[in-house]
Structures are given as C-alpha cells and as structure tokens.
Amino acid sequence: MDSDDLLDLPAYADEYWAILDLIDAAEKVAICGHTSPDGDALGSTLGLGLALRGRFPSKDITFLIADDAPAPRIYRFLAGADELVPAARYTADPDLFIAVDCPVLDRLADGEAVVRRADKVVCFDHHPAREEFADVVVRRPDAAAASVLIAEFLSFVNISIDAAVASSLLCGIVTDTGRFQYQNADPESFCVASMLVAAGADPARIALEVYQSQRLEYLKLESVVMSRIRLVADGRVAYSYARAVDLAEYGVSHDECDGLVDIVRSVMGVEVCLFLKELDNGKVRGNLRAKGALDVSGIAAAFNGGGHAAAAGFTYEGTIEDTLRAALPMLIELVDSVRDVEELACAPNEA
Ligand SMILES: [Mn+2]
C-alpha cells in the first residue's frame, strides 16, 4: 500500500462533514436536480434521497423534480421515481435544500422558489459555475457525474449504499459518460461504478430501461434526424435538427430527444456537432458535442447556455435557420482554430 492509499481523503472532506452536520440538524430536507432532468439529475436526486431516508428514517425528505412534468419515461424504473414531487407543488419551507447536478439557480426552474424559502442550501455539482448560490458547495468539474460526488459523499460519511441507491447513482454515471464512451469516462468513474455494482446496482437493467426500450415512433424520428445530417468544414462539423412539427407528427415528447445528438456525433471524422430541437415557444434548444479535446462549452456560454467541454447546451430565441446562422460559424471557427489535428487527438481529455 502506498501513501496515496493511506491518505485517501477526498478533496471536499471538510464540506462533506459540514453537509452531514446540516442534514443532521435539519428536519425537512428537499433534494432537486436541474430542469429537463437527465439520468444524472434524477439518479443523484434519488440516490442521495433514498440513502438519506435509510439513514434518517424520521426526517421529512422530499425528492423534487424541477419542472411541473413527470420524469422522463426511461428513468421511471428508478426506485423512488414514483415519489418525485414537482417543485411547484411543494409548499413547505425546508430546513435544508440540496441541489444536485445544477450550477445555476435558474436551472432549478420551479425549485428556485423552494431554494429561496430554505434555511440552508447545499450544492453537489460537476458543472463549471460563474457564481455559487449555496451555503456549502461541492463542485468538481473534473467529476464525470454528480452521482460520482454523491457516491463519494455517502461512502466518506458512512451512509450505507443499498442496491436501490447504487442503481440510481450508477444510472447517473452511465448516462453522463454516454455508457463510458465520452471523454469524461475516467478511472474514478469506473472505480465508483465498480463499487456501486458491488453494492447491488444492476447495470443490465439500466441499459435495458434507458437504451433498449425506445418507442418505435422515436426511432422513426431518429431516422428523420439522421437523414438531415449535414457536414461542413471538410466534414469536421456536423449538424441536424428536429422541428416541432416532426415531434408532433411522430408523437415524440421533448424529453425523449436527449439521445438524438449522439446520432449526429457518431459520423466518422466529425469533431464537433450540433443538434437543434425546435421548442413550442419560438425558441430552439441546441445540444453541442465534441469528440477529442475540443471545448464546446464556450460556444454554449456565448448563447447564455452552459455545460462541459465535451457536452454543452443552450437555448436560442428564433428559428432553426436563425440558430444555425448564429452557431455554425462558431463551430467552424472552433475546428479551424486547431491546426494540428493529430496532436489534438492525442491530447489528454479535459472533460
Ligand atoms: Mn450531470
């Protein structure tokens, strides 16, 4: 055993103890992830929530969902998903609000009002943030998922991780790493995943529910998005889109479209890609992805969005065409800014 094993203190050890104290002192606890929740937002909410209920059975611990909408169908198999309460319908003033997987207040949607009524606020997150809104913050942009941080916290303060907690957290890691295929799939994510599987998480069930249970209507929409993929900048930039009428025609809901950007990303030779989805309110949601070491978070930030180097997003007011006119030149400039492609492909990842 080398000294690293002996000194295995997480970077946020002080914060973890402070958070445990806040939980100890609280009677009413509300936990909430970001709006339009993905597998990590829900997995870290439910994983943390179920673990805290196990340890503190007499506390009033509520699992919130930021929007006044049900959780996406593919995540409803997670234990506790049927107990998610839309934040707009939560009327209590919690002693403690725990935000997970969310870097800014307004991404908490209806949860923002609950934060303002809370006595204390804690944040576990892995997105870069411009400013903090919580009293105690665990923010590690190098962590693959917020679920990694929740697993680390629970282990460090000795709160037990049962099979249901482990499956929720593993769902967060599997989805945020794109099934361990993105640049953020680092040794820590595999190590924590291994620990969670040992604790009873069921990776086959997660894969079945999240990736092998698409509705045929969705797959037909996917084929339309695929047929529209266009390449620019010598094939280094790809984009495609889905219009509101496409979603209506195929009967696909917005929350089912999260995987469509990966279809665009999968084209050989593409370094950065953009998938646009027309919303019903005259706005367009843009999803950006990068392969290799290019950083698309700056482009998202230029449109007041956010995210990571390899995966980021933004909302634009206008049509699909307006958004393409605004965003494509930035994507082309980004790939053109890198002359030595070979060197880039070998650079250490920065996700
Ligand atoms: Mn996340």
Side-chain angles (χ1 to χ4, degrees):
M1 183 180 276
D2 64 27
S3 59
D4 280 355
D5 294 314
L6 292 169
L7 297 170
D8 197 17
L9 257 190
Y12 283 89
D14 291 346
E15 283 81 359
Y16 289 159
W17 290 126
I19 291 167
L20 185 63
D21 285 344
L22 288 174
I23 295 167
D24 252 324
E27 181 46 43
K28 271 183 226 150
V29 180
I31 307 171
C32 191
H34 62 74
T35 178
S36 302
D38 57 14
D40 190 32
L42 290 169
S44 50
T45 297
L46 296 174
L48 177 63
L50 293 168
L52 294 185
R53 280 191 185 168
R55 168 73 172 265
F56 303 101
S58 64
K59 291 191 193 293
D60 173 5
I61 297 167
T62 307
F63 315 154
L64 296 181
I65 187 161
D67 314 301
D68 200 2
R73 180 184 53 83
I74 55 173
Y75 302 122
R76 283 182 216 154
F77 74 100
L78 292 171
D82 53 346
E83 294 179 62
L84 285 162
V85 175
R89 293 183 216 172
Y90 179 80
T91 52
D93 300 345
D95 303 309
L96 179 62
F97 185 103
I98 306 179
V100 292
D101 200 29
C102 185
V104 285
L105 265 182
D106 66 12
R107 291 273 294 156
L108 284 169
D110 298 333
E112 184 175 345
V114 184
V115 169
R116 299 197 189 282
R117 301 200 303 270
D119 190 33
K120 294 285 179 189
V121 181
V122 161
C123 176
F124 287 96
D125 189 31
H126 69 129
H127 300 87
R130 282 176 282 253
E131 58 181 343
E132 300 293 356
F133 60 86
D135 300 295
V136 182
V137 179
V138 174
R139 178 172 309 290
R140 266 188 46 211
D142 64 325
S147 294
V148 165
L149 301 175
I150 301 297
E152 185 180 70
F153 164 70
L154 295 174
S155 307
F156 182 66
V157 301
N158 260 314
I159 293 180
S160 96
I161 295 179
D162 66 12
V165 171
S167 266
S168 293
L169 298 177
L170 183 62
C171 177
I173 298 172
V174 167
T175 53
D176 260 22
T177 60
R179 295 174 257 190
F180 299 98
Q181 292 172 15
Y182 298 155
Q183 296 92 318
N184 61 352
D186 58 359
E188 181 184 53
S189 61
F190 281 96
C191 184
V192 172
S194 169
M195 180 270 279
L196 294 172
V197 175
D202 186 345
R205 174 89 195 274
I206 293 167
L208 178 72
E209 298 284 355
V210 178
Y211 298 107
Q212 303 294 317
S213 301
Q214 301 296 0
R215 296 187 311 125
L216 184 57
E217 294 84 349
Y218 167 82
L219 292 175
K220 287 180 175 168
L221 174 66
E222 188 174 89
S223 78
V224 169
V225 169
M226 226 184 267
S227 72
R228 287 181 185 152
I229 295 175
R230 294 288 176 271
L231 302 179
V232 291
D234 300 322
R236 298 163 72 191
V237 175
Y239 67 91
S240 186
Y241 55 89
R243 296 189 189 280
V245 292
D246 301 322
L247 271 68
E249 180 179 347
Y250 292 99
V252 172
S253 63
H254 284 280
D255 66 44
E256 283 183 285
C257 296
D258 287 352
L260 292 174
V261 66
D262 285 314
I263 299 299
V264 189
R265 185 186 191 270
S266 67
V267 180
M268 181 178 69
V270 164
E271 292 166 33
V272 296
C273 77
L274 173 65
F275 170 70
L276 299 178
K277 182 181 70 179
E278 190 181 16
L279 306 176
D280 303 317
N281 54 3
K283 294 179 182 177
V284 169
R285 181 70 192 168
N287 290 126
L288 292 156
R289 293 291 184 273
K291 295 180 184 172
L294 284 177
D295 182 348
V296 290
S297 66
I299 296 176
F303 294 110
N304 287 317
H308 307 279
F314 62 91
T315 303
Y316 192 80
E317 216 155 311
T319 63
I320 297 263
E321 287 72 18
D322 294 336
T323 316
L324 286 173
R325 262 193 296 275
L328 276 183
M330 299 173 80
L331 290 165
I332 294 165
E333 193 186 325
L334 179 65
V335 295
D336 280 347
S337 70
V338 182
R339 288 284 121 215
D340 194 337
V341 180
E342 290 301 317
E343 191 179 306
L344 180 70
C346 298
N349 82 67
E350 286 158 27

